[in-house]
Amino acid sequence: MSRRSNVAPPTRLAATRNLTSSVDDRCATCSIALEECPNKRVRRGNVARGALPSNGREWELALVRHYLRCDGPFGASPLAFVDATGEELARAVGADAAHVEDVRSAFLGSFGSPSLLRDVLSGASRPTYSGVEAPGWFRYLFLSCLVAAAETGGCNAGVYRERLRTLLGAEATISDLRGLPLLWGRLAEWCDARRLEGEPFRRVVLPDRGHMTQIGESVRIAFPSRLDRLRLEQLAADWNAAEFTSPTCVIKFVRNRLDGLPWSEGFVAAFLDFGMRYRRGERLLADHPFWVLIRRTLASIGEGDERSAAGISIRLIAGLDDETLVELSARTQIPGLGLRPDAEAGFSCTVSTEAMIEAVGAAARLGGFGRLRGVVAALDRGVMPFVETSWGVWAFLASPDSGPVRILGRHGAVRSSGNPGIWQAAADGWWLSSQIPIGVYEEILGRIGKPLEPSDRLRSLRIEGGIRTGACFLGRPTFLPVVAAPDGATLTLQASRVERGELGLAAEARGPVPLVAEAPVAGAWRLTAREIEGSGTENELRLSFVDRAFEHNVGAGSAEGWENEVELVLLPGILGSRTTDVPPAAPSEDETCRDDLLEAVYAGGVGGWSEADLFPLLRRAVGGGGGGPRPWDVLRALREGGWVEPRLDPRWGARRWILRPMRLLRRDDRTAVLDGAWCATGLDRFEAACRRAGAAAEVRPGRGPWSVPTMVVRSADLVAVAAATGVPIVDLPRIGAAPAPACWPSTIHPLAARMVAGIWCWERGRFLAAAGGATGSVRLERWVRPRRDARDVYRISGSASGDLVLESRTAAILEAHRRAGIPLLHHAENELVRLRAEGNLPAEIVGALRFAHLASSGPIRRETGEWTYAYPCSRDDARELVAIFGAAVAGSAPAPDHARYRLSRKLGPRGRALLNPAAALRPVL
């Protein structure tokens, strides 16, 4: 088995005291209020002197959490080297680089009695700790490494004991250090014992002490020293930094300077270990301490970026109407690329393929060639490869060496493939392939005369995909992550602690190896990868899973400054005022996948979802093989079920989906509906609070297997229920709307600087790139800006009413059908069913139907096996909808309604607009 995995190591744990100042009080892992977070991980910020660990016990805990635990920043790989520089010590307690000297002074001052320190270092005494969180003596070992790595002016670097005396400010030299090798050996035994108990601690691999019988381990395990790092930065700045990214070149460069410069013992040991492993064929070395130092060196001199070799990320994402868009992102701005500020990525933009090619050329001409070197080279070659980094997300990688790929190629690549059926037009002169094996990609390069050079790219054992909740993965079968490691690596998964379910590795998987389970899993597992059986390095990751998402503060600060998406202008009315309970839909196997999806959307929605990340999640949930509903329909069901709501960036037109906070909507004096997103734990807590308040809580299914369940609360005292659950209660408004087109929101976006990207096909009921057999006189077009830096707009033409431009896709499709006299929705029995491949009611109206009938809308499967969309809808509701949307809704003809007439008299002119469609076209004074 093979592959690799980048479990982004969780942010470091704080020490036992609060280590941040007033800069931030949110968890660094899940960004929720620290006091509400089960992980309680703090961000690094400016550390005040009083916020540092105040005694030896607190320092011991902070260092153990940072260096020894698998959920620390170094992951689960064996501890073979200790970075004891002042900068890393500051990171261990949550401080920044500006406070290195303060942190180091506080650490050195924590040892207290000189006699106790002498006893520990001599082996006469061994500190202990009352719990299993720490051994009790690791801080003494770290002190021994700090001595080896420190830079102390006026001190002979080769005299270890004198350096120790100088650092501690002691009067006498501590000459007896026989206790250090004993403590190192006991530390390795302590970590092994904790690992056997299933605790998340790293294995300790001790170096050969050589001729230094007392300080050998401390001197050779301490890497890098401050002088090592400064010397390497100087050398790299004077050399060709571009070649510094090649392991072969780095090994040659350092080897030629190994004997002529005063490198530390730890540096020499780390370099020789790296070189030996690389020469014997190992490539799981991206996280080797020596290579980490190389990456940090390049980043410090401005020639590298740990996020990608080029400093830029290019991803293919799914757009509307089956189009493929390109997302560009970088941590810092690149002039000419057109990036915009992004709270998560730094700077990003989403453009068409053609706009991406033009932007890369413009940025390269403006001086960004260094950061775009790999992208420019691929475009010049005419073959730009993409690898799948998560579900349905393909990212550019200059030199892929495993797994399937997709290619953005010119004419030569298309001809050389020998299979024109795998290509689709992407830009002028460029085509995008479907998924192909890595071997086919290599053959294409060979046929166009540009064979792929042997790759010496280093890899790391990584976890890709999956949904994070706190510091764990969500253990739902549908959304388990995959393991990525080099081809030929042997993967082993061993349970450390099992709370629920069984986790395994998929057999005979091509590309990344999926983790599989038949039911939700919870617990901890140890994943190991070995490239060379019997002698290769064993890379290790610790994976923690929970079967339920952690609760978090939904909606806090999400998408601030973004605007609501409006599909309909509402008026007071009576839509949904006649409440009836629609019979529930029959149970379906898809409901398990839906429940997994709801938990995943909640878990990953702390700061909201971008469409680029949410759409692949939906596609994975429905299967992606064509047997399930459209992912966009599932997203629509989440919105109409009150789970998520869209927010629009008023500057760029980007859309973000945020979780809706929970609230109780009063349906009548005794019934309320819970609106908003919840997790399984939160739902259990809500139901328990309802029982304590004497209320009955019922979860009702929706119209289809992918509909969001509706939580109904019945009680004689709904206010008391709200107080008991902590969920606010509001009255449900009665709504209506003027007949179309007066009900549609107006647009301020002109068609200038836009182009037609799709035309509605009346035969297929969806937008296509061309007319595709469109019939009738009414024409519906989607207009976009080439750089996708503003909202799409829709133009309806060809009717006697004149042209109409709308921002809302939902409104445009409904209005086009109304004008063409072609039904989009048909009412039968207790539901309103969509007749076309796409199209929906405005979300503002669907909420009223959901609360009236205690059932949510969603995709349903026809008897033919095809999927469509359905809403709970009574005959009275259908009459109201016909009055608003005209011929777009069929099945129930409007009939006189005395309640409607009385309401219209009470509302005045706007009420007459509801009663008389023609009146809606006249201005209301």
Side-chain angles (χ1 to χ4, degrees), residues 247 251 273-279 281-292 295 457-461 486 531 537 539:
I251 291 173
D273 181 75
F274 177 83
M276 177 268 295
R277 298 183 186 282
Y278 183 81
R279 283 192 300 273
E282 293 186 39
R283 292 299 180 266
L284 273 173
L285 298 172
D287 295 324
H288 190 282
F290 176 78
W291 195 249
V292 171
R295 292 205 315 265
R457 186 166 64 91
L458 301 182
R459 308 287 293 277
S460 61
L461 182 62
E531 287 185 276
T537 304
N539 287 258

Side-chain angles (χ1 to χ4, degrees), residues 237-462:
D238 296 336
W239 201 51
N240 183 358
E243 297 183 25
F244 223 58
T245 59
S246 165
T248 303
C249 295
V250 170
I251 291 173
K252 179 180 178 181
F253 175 83
V254 176
R255 188 66 188 84
N256 289 335
R257 293 159 178 81
L258 193 63
D259 299 325
L261 295 171
W263 303 102
S264 69
E265 290 271 357
F267 181 92
V268 174
F271 168 73
L272 293 178
D273 181 75
F274 177 83
M276 177 268 295
R277 298 183 186 282
Y278 183 81
R279 283 192 300 273
R280 73 183 182 191
E282 293 186 39
R283 292 299 180 266
L284 273 173
L285 298 172
D287 295 324
H288 190 282
F290 176 78
W291 195 249
V292 171
L293 175 63
I294 296 297
R295 292 205 315 265
R296 288 184 176 178
T297 298
L298 293 177
S300 68
I301 62 176
E303 293 290 343
D305 190 295
E306 292 189 36
R307 176 170 151 186
S308 67
I312 182 174
S313 170
I314 303 179
R315 302 195 303 172
L316 302 177
I317 61 175
L320 295 170
D321 307 325
D322 297 331
E323 64 178 337
T324 299
L325 301 177
V326 181
E327 180 192 69
L328 305 173
S329 61
R331 286 183 175 174
T332 57
Q333 183 63 272
I334 301 178
L337 208 56
L339 302 180
R340 301 181 290 272
D342 185 288
E344 294 183 353
F347 295 87
S348 69
C349 66
T350 300
V351 298
S352 64
T353 305
E354 188 167 1
M356 180 272 292
I357 297 171
E358 295 174 356
V360 168
R365 290 191 296 272
L366 290 175
F369 180 79
R371 299 177 64 184
L372 299 171
R373 184 183 292 108
V375 184
V376 173
L379 291 175
D380 289 344
R381 190 167 58 233
V383 179
M384 190 172 180
F386 293 82
V387 298
E388 191 172 21
T389 57
S390 61
W391 309 311
V393 178
W394 296 79
F396 167 71
L397 185 62
S399 302
D401 50 17
S402 65
V405 299
R406 296 183 70 185
I407 300 174
L408 180 65
R410 285 202 289 251
H411 296 281
V414 176
R415 290 195 301 269
S416 301
S417 69
N419 185 2
I422 66 174
W423 301 89
Q424 63 179 12
D428 187 17
W430 290 85
W431 284 263
L432 182 65
S433 77
S434 57
Q435 178 177 316
I436 60 175
I438 185 70
V440 175
Y441 164 67
E442 294 171 348
E443 291 175 5
I444 291 175
L445 290 179
R447 289 171 184 166
I448 64 176
K450 298 178 180 179
L452 189 66
E453 297 179 1
S455 173
D456 61 354
R457 186 166 64 91
L458 301 182
R459 308 287 293 277
S460 61
L461 182 62
R462 296 186 309 164

Side-chain angles (χ1 to χ4, degrees), residues 660-669 671-676 718-719 721-723 727-734 851:
R660 293 184 63 171
M662 289 198 300
R663 57 178 185 162
L664 283 168
L665 297 178
R666 196 195 316 262
R667 184 180 184 235
D668 52 48
D669 292 340
T671 309
V673 176
L674 180 63
D675 185 55
L718 293 175
V719 175
V721 173
V727 178
I729 186 168
V730 297
D731 290 327
L732 188 65
R734 304 301 181 190
F851 300 129

